[in-house]
Amino acid sequence: MRASRGFARVKRLFLEASEREPENRSQYLDEACAGEPDLRREVEALLSFDRQPQPQELQRDLSSEVGPYRLLHKIGEGGMGEVWAAEQERPVRRRAAVKLIKWGMDTREVLARFESERQALALMNHPNIAAAYEAGATVEGRPFFAMEFVEGVPLNEYCDARRLSIRDRLELFVKVCDGLQHAHQKGVIHRDIKPSNILVAIEEGLPVPKIIDFGVAKATSQRLTERTLFTELGQWIGTPEYMSPEQAEITSIDIDTRSDVYSLGAVLYELLAGGQALDAAELRSAGFDEMRRHIREIEPPRPSTRVSSFGNVSREVAQRRDTDSRGLIRTLRGDLDWIVMKAMEKDRTRRYGSPSELAADIGRYLRSELVEASPPGTVYRMRKFIARHRAGVAAGAFIVVTLLAGVIGTALGLLRAQREAEASRKVAELLAGMFSDIDPAGQMGGFGSPILMLDRGAERIGRELTDEPVVQARLLQILGDGYRNMGRFQRSREALEASLRLRETHLEPSVPELGASLLSLGLLEYWDGNYSKAAALLERSAAVYQASLGGDDVAVAVARGFVGLPHWRLGDYEAARHAFEQSLNIYRTMEPEVSPWIAMTLHSYGILLMDLKDYEAARPMLERAIEIHQRALGPDHTTVGMMTVSLGRSYLENLRYDEARPLFERGLAIQERSLGRDHPWLASPLTMLATVDRRDGELEEARTKCERALGIIERFQGPEHPDLVWALVPYARILENAGEFAASREVLDRAVRIAETSHGKVHLDTARAVEGLGFHYYRLREYREALRHYRRAFSIREQVFGPRHPALAWNLYDQACILALSDDRPAALDSLRRAVDTGWANPRLFEDGDLDSLRDDPEFAAIADEVRSRLGRVER
């Protein structure tokens, strides 16, 4: 097994190297074979053999035939295939291009890629895509397919040779967009759009661009081939100069049609400016990791700026566009700059959504109408700046922004105070001291440790503002919020309690500032697992806000929304629902109803509904929350990441793993970029992804993620925190799948103990942990013990939710499986009937082997018919 995997790797590296220009192969092998000289020697031996004249028996007779095609001459060659100019004489006479797999390259990976291209072309019928004619095999068994012979030259070469104006180039480019849009509508992403894959042919005297080479195409809605083509870790698909940032990720799994839009933008950039957006020589001279970083992070100059940088060469570039240098720069500056840059946005959510949208904006430009593309605003440019300097800023940016925003608010308030000048001076001096170590030449890119900055801030606030207790309280609250957001709960508590004491001493009992301190401290206690204390603090905060601001103020809505959270964790679902409804009712009186705060309440309410198994109501709330928060704060905000994970959970709990995984991956990526790799908010997406990995059979990946999540929770929230239950139960399942049942039992015993200590014996988390024990015994085929734990968990659920609630369904279903395996058919059917009576319906019923002993029973058939009807399934 190990030897065959090594040979497959040699072949893969050979294929990748052979598709590069000879002068670039050495650098590629330096990266790919680093520290493995034997591997490199094997690859180089294959490359050397590939360059030698082939033995006589492998030479093709140029007059030989492939199916109905007579090969004329070779017109192209890559690592896996050859393309020949050919002529068909029957049943019609026409020129064709015949693609053949090279001798000896008929590996599973190559055949899969070959068949993918063949099937992709077969799906499409568009004048701007090279047509597929037929497929087959030579007499020697070499697969081939024939396609339209495009007698043309690459798009940029055609335009330069004809000295086409910018308008003519754009009109030609729109046809390329139309062709690619057709491919996308057929469910095919090209993934390697570049000028050499867009040939311009002359048909009836008119130029017609044709998209060719779908060799690395990806299907979006169907499989292109019955063979499986895997993209291995670190294997790139595409051409770096035209590759989207998401393609440059280590695992470019999450690729959609907007990746092709980026590549179209890169082609358009070169077509208009006469130079590539990312310089090929600079890009390929960098190491592999630096090249990836360049593609993902470095913003190219605008096309007009690129032309300006050419110096004397700009005159020749302009002449090829039928104008002069100044005229070209003037034409590109403005709308065309922004159209290209929108197409090439690093953040794909800000790109055109499809080739047709890009073509439509170009059409608006050609008709002198307003285009959709526009220069980015100041806030977005600032966000991009932070993203480009992530190494130094990521850990500290969240805290720094929080502090600065709070201090600005304080300063504005102080301007209205009686001693405004003196207070403002003190705040300014304090800030100068806190941030005095921001050094542009520093090794961290400008910032010292965020925690050290907060520590110094706490010391100076306590020392220098004793005669300004109101200002001191405000800054201590901001400081406490910062510590909490960094997961430093004890330091946060010290600062927030000090802030509350100062406000209670120096302010009236009903002022908004007191409500703010109570809110911050309540949220801290919630995140630290002290739910009863959190509920009391948040209830008091809402009461203070209502007394000081009135019942319909946004601050009251915010506080009421947060009140629901600890009640949810305490298992008081009615109190939680009431708080969320109160919050939403206040928001509904406001215009517009798009505040990020309403998104928080919608998100919290959605989580509650998931516990109540009302996924149809939960999912729209979660989607709306993400939409609002993303529009207000951007797609990479930490809260967007948290909400995205919750949306993924709504799919996971419905066993829709393929829909859940990308949401968990996106949420985790956002959190890691914003908060680093060691923050409490990462525990949830890591645990959810571990569950999906386990279901997909990736046990090592699952174990690594789950152990990382457990380590984060224990490190930041302690070894007895109730959140551990959510990670311990999935971890036990992973251990069971690995056959480590003794270790699994220890983990589950710990989960039950923590749940009972934190919440008591009647709580949903306790039921989850006890059900974990039941499943453990089920896996050991100790069905009596398994049934005992499931029935205990059922009793808990029934006390929490009442009879016939959907939250009872899966427990009843699992009991039915255990009873069926125990040969207790009547009890099994009764349990299954009770599950269905709660509204349960899932396709698992039709394929679960545990229920095979029941399938010949008329009662089971009736249950199955009812489930099938609910699912909308039609029996074949």
Side-chain angles (χ1 to χ4, degrees):
M1 179 69 72
R2 189 172 301 168
S4 64
R5 185 179 301 137
F7 182 65
R9 187 179 175 203
V10 170
K11 277 204 166 187
R12 176 178 66 78
L13 293 176
F14 162 68
L15 289 173
E16 287 295 312
S18 63
E19 290 185 349
R20 284 167 163 76
E21 296 298 325
E23 61 270 18
N24 295 325
R25 290 175 182 172
S26 179
Q27 180 185 331
Y28 169 75
L29 293 176
D30 287 344
E31 298 281 349
C33 305
E36 299 180 84
D38 292 341
L39 174 65
R40 178 166 185 153
R41 276 193 292 272
E42 288 186 64
V43 177
E44 286 178 334
L46 282 176
L47 289 169
S48 176
F49 176 79
D50 189 53
R51 289 193 296 268
Q52 296 172 3
Q54 295 298 301
Q56 188 61 39
E57 64 269 22
L58 297 184
Q59 290 288 338
R60 293 295 316 189
D61 179 356
L62 293 184
S63 64
S64 65
E65 291 187 347
V66 172
Y69 302 95
R70 184 166 60 87
L71 303 184
L72 301 176
H73 56 272
K74 191 185 296 184
I75 57 176
E77 184 174 6
M80 71 172 185
E82 306 166 343
V83 182
W84 291 72
E87 190 171 74
Q88 183 180 4
E89 297 180 345
R90 60 185 191 278
V92 295
R93 188 177 182 85
R94 60 185 173 185
R95 294 288 297 277
V98 174
K99 191 162 190 175
L100 285 157
I101 285 186
K102 291 170 72 172
W103 286 102
M105 290 293 104
D106 53 341
T107 64
R108 180 174 301 182
E109 306 94 279
V110 171
L111 287 172
R113 189 181 294 187
F114 189 89
E115 289 184 20
S116 292
E117 181 178 8
R118 186 165 68 183
Q119 186 60 35
L121 285 171
L123 289 170
M124 293 174 282
N125 180 22
H126 193 277
N128 299 117
I129 295 177
Y133 292 158
E134 65 178 293
T138 68
V139 292
E140 300 91 348
R142 294 170 68 187
F144 80 92
F145 67 91
M147 55 195 153
E148 177 183 1
F149 182 85
V150 182
E151 197 161 7
V153 296
L155 177 64
N156 56 341
E157 294 180 20
Y158 174 86
C159 293
D160 285 354
R162 298 297 181 97
R163 295 181 180 268
L164 294 189
S165 66
I166 293 296
R167 172 172 287 274
D168 291 337
R169 290 167 185 252
L170 290 172
E171 289 175 347
L172 206 56
F173 182 77
V174 165
K175 295 178 181 178
V176 178
C177 294
D178 292 342
L180 196 56
Q181 180 69 26
H182 174 80
H184 289 178
Q185 288 170 342
K186 293 294 185 180
V188 177
I189 306 170
H190 190 285
R191 295 202 291 183
D192 197 18
I193 291 293
K194 55 186 175 182
S196 59
N197 281 339
I198 306 168
L199 301 183
V200 180
I202 304 299
E203 296 181 357
E204 299 180 355
L206 296 175
V208 179
K210 301 269 189 180
I211 303 172
I212 65 169
D213 199 352
F214 282 76
V216 294
K218 173 186 176 183
T220 60
S221 60
Q222 58 191 303
R223 292 182 64 177
L224 292 178
T225 172
E226 287 303 306
R227 299 180 187 272
T228 302
L229 173 61
F230 291 101
T231 303
E232 297 185 34
L233 187 68
Q235 181 177 345
W236 275 15
I237 288 182
T239 302
E241 294 85 357
Y242 306 93
M243 181 184 291
S244 68
E246 55 268 27
Q247 278 180 276
E249 296 290 348
I250 286 293
T251 54
S252 55
I253 297 170
D254 189 19
I255 301 297
D256 59 25
T257 55
R258 290 170 295 183
S259 183
D260 279 353
V261 171
Y262 180 95
S263 300
L264 281 174
V267 171
L268 181 59
Y269 189 111
E270 188 172 355
L271 205 61
L272 300 180
Q276 294 172 326
L278 300 178
D279 182 73
E282 179 182 343
L283 195 63
R284 292 179 181 269
S285 64
F288 180 73
D289 287 338
E290 179 60 19
M291 191 186 302
R292 287 180 53 246
R293 188 194 69 80
H294 205 92
I295 294 168
R296 288 185 288 114
E297 299 179 11
I298 302 301
E299 293 286 347
R302 297 191 298 274
S304 61
T305 304
R306 173 56 59 88
V307 174
S308 301
S309 70
F310 285 154
N312 293 333
V313 179
S314 64
R315 179 181 176 187
E316 181 181 350
V317 170
Q319 286 175 346
R320 290 175 181 166
R321 285 147 185 79
D322 197 27
T323 184
D324 57 34
S325 300
R326 290 184 180 179
L328 178 59
I329 293 169
R330 188 167 55 249
T331 301
L332 298 181
R333 184 175 293 142
D335 286 349
L336 288 179
D337 273 342
W338 304 126
I339 287 173
V340 173
M341 299 310 284
K342 181 177 174 70
M344 293 190 67
E345 263 287 346
K346 302 292 185 187
D347 176 1
R348 61 181 168 182
T349 64
R350 295 178 62 89
R351 278 179 222 151
Y352 295 102
S354 65
S356 61
E357 288 185 18
L358 171 56
D361 226 10
I362 293 172
R364 282 186 279 272
Y365 170 80
L366 293 172
R367 295 188 299 272
S368 300
E369 297 172 2
L370 289 174
V371 301
E372 289 186 355
S374 60
T378 303
V379 173
Y380 179 65
R381 289 199 301 270
M382 179 63 74
R383 192 183 303 134
K384 297 290 280 189
F385 173 82
I386 292 172
R388 287 197 302 272
H389 298 84
R390 188 177 297 123
V393 177
F398 189 62
I399 303 308
V400 173
V401 170
T402 301
L403 287 168
L404 291 178
V407 171
I408 289 169
T410 299
L412 290 175
L414 290 170
L415 289 174
R416 295 187 293 269
Q418 205 169 19
R419 292 171 292 170
E420 58 189 34
E422 181 61 19
S424 296
R425 182 189 64 77
K426 289 185 176 182
V427 169
E429 288 179 354
L430 186 143
L431 275 177
M434 284 176 64
F435 299 117
S436 61
D437 69 341
I438 296 180
D439 176 12
Q443 63 176 354
M444 289 296 290
F447 289 95
S449 161
I451 297 300
L452 290 177
M453 289 199 303
L454 293 178
D455 289 347
R456 183 166 58 252
E459 179 187 345
R460 297 197 63 173
I461 288 168
R463 186 178 68 245
E464 298 178 20
L465 292 175
T466 53
D467 57 343
E468 296 285 354
V470 175
V471 177
Q472 189 180 41
R474 172 66 175 136
L475 292 180
L476 282 169
Q477 183 200 341
I478 296 167
L479 200 70
D481 288 342
Y483 276 129
R484 184 192 66 223
N485 293 336
M486 290 294 289
R488 302 306 196 269
F489 292 157
Q490 186 52 42
R491 296 184 191 180
S492 173
R493 184 174 287 105
E494 292 168 2
L496 292 176
E497 287 178 344
S499 171
L500 180 59
R501 284 194 299 271
L502 285 169
R503 283 173 167 166
E504 287 178 325
T505 301
H506 296 282
L507 296 175
E508 295 296 320
S510 295
V511 293
E513 290 82 1
L514 185 58
S517 273
L518 291 164
L519 185 72
S520 288
L521 192 54
L523 287 175
L524 167 68
E525 298 297 354
Y526 170 77
W527 282 109
D528 205 21
N530 305 313
Y531 302 122
S532 295
K533 187 181 292 186
L537 287 164
L538 292 169
E539 291 276 12
R540 188 179 163 201
S541 170
V544 170
Y545 276 135
Q546 185 162 342
S548 59
L549 301 172
D552 59 353
D553 191 87
V554 66
V556 181
V558 170
R560 294 304 305 170
F562 283 129
V563 163
L565 285 171
H567 286 302
W568 160 60
R569 291 303 302 271
L570 287 166
D572 191 346
Y573 296 111
E574 283 308 308
R577 187 195 290 271
H578 180 64
F580 295 145
E581 289 288 357
Q582 281 185 313
S583 175
L584 291 176
N585 286 337
I586 298 171
Y587 284 123
R588 289 180 186 121
T589 66
M590 303 173 188
E591 290 291 340
E593 192 185 317
V594 292
S595 162
W597 294 114
I598 191 175
M600 295 298 294
T601 300
L602 287 168
H603 172 252
S604 302
Y605 203 170
I607 293 175
L608 169 68
L609 291 172
M610 283 196 286
D611 269 7
L612 298 175
K613 305 304 178 187
D614 192 353
Y615 298 106
E616 295 308 310
R619 200 168 290 122
M621 282 191 176
L622 297 170
E623 290 170 345
R624 176 70 174 145
I626 293 170
E627 176 192 344
I628 292 171
H629 219 84
Q630 195 165 259
R631 187 163 59 241
L633 300 173
D636 293 327
H637 194 273
T638 53
T639 310
V640 173
M642 177 180 65
M643 292 175 176
T644 301
V645 173
S646 297
L647 181 60
R649 181 188 154 203
S650 75
Y651 290 106
L652 177 68
E653 295 196 5
N654 271 344
L655 310 186
R656 293 161 66 175
Y657 302 105
D658 290 343
E659 292 164 277
R661 179 185 283 281
L663 292 168
F664 295 148
E665 288 174 340
R666 183 191 170 211
L668 178 61
I670 291 172
Q671 303 290 49
E672 286 186 325
R673 281 198 301 269
S674 303
L675 302 171
R677 289 181 52 82
D678 198 29
H679 189 278
W681 284 12
L682 270 61
S684 178
L686 284 168
T687 304
M688 302 289 185
L689 271 174
T691 299
V692 179
D693 284 342
R694 179 185 63 78
R695 294 288 307 190
D696 290 344
E698 300 173 5
L699 285 187
E700 284 306 311
E701 281 291 320
R703 186 171 193 150
T704 299
K705 289 185 178 77
C706 215
E707 288 176 350
R708 183 180 161 199
L710 287 166
I712 288 172
I713 297 171
E714 290 176 333
R715 190 157 52 254
F716 285 98
Q717 296 166 276
E720 302 297 320
H721 194 279
D723 281 1
L724 279 167
V725 176
W726 291 358
L728 287 169
V729 175
Y731 185 48
R733 295 288 294 274
I734 293 166
L735 293 173
E736 287 160 6
N737 281 23
E740 300 177 32
F741 288 98
S744 170
R745 173 62 192 271
E746 289 180 12
V747 168
L748 288 167
D749 285 342
R750 182 186 176 196
V752 172
R753 178 178 54 76
I754 291 173
E756 289 181 338
T757 302
S758 302
H759 304 299
K761 293 186 181 296
V762 182
H763 189 276
L764 182 57
D765 281 3
T766 304
R768 286 173 174 140
V770 172
E771 282 166 344
L773 268 174
F775 188 83
H776 170 81
Y777 286 110
Y778 157 81
R779 288 291 302 271
L780 292 171
R781 300 184 181 181
E782 297 180 24
Y783 298 133
R784 180 176 297 180
E785 193 67 13
L787 199 60
R788 183 174 73 83
H789 285 91
Y790 268 103
R791 284 174 171 166
R792 182 193 164 194
F794 178 82
S795 175
I796 296 170
R797 287 182 178 273
E798 197 170 36
Q799 291 178 69
V800 171
F801 297 107
R804 296 175 65 88
H805 192 279
L808 309 177
W810 277 108
N811 182 293
L812 287 166
Y813 176 86
D814 287 345
Q815 285 192 54
C817 291
I818 296 168
L819 289 163
L821 291 168
S822 304
D823 295 325
D824 191 345
R825 178 181 291 209
L829 288 168
D830 177 66
S831 188
L832 198 57
R833 165 52 62 190
R834 291 168 66 195
V836 173
D837 286 346
T838 68
W840 180 89
N842 193 279
R844 178 179 288 188
L845 178 74
F846 305 103
E847 55 198 33
D848 197 329
D850 291 349
L851 301 175
D852 285 351
S853 64
L854 309 179
R855 295 190 188 279
D856 60 350
D857 193 288
E859 175 64 13
F860 182 88
I863 291 171
D865 285 343
E866 188 172 338
V867 171
R868 189 177 291 110
S869 175
R870 259 181 222 166
L871 293 172
R873 291 178 54 148
V874 179
E875 189 168 15
R876 297 175 181 176

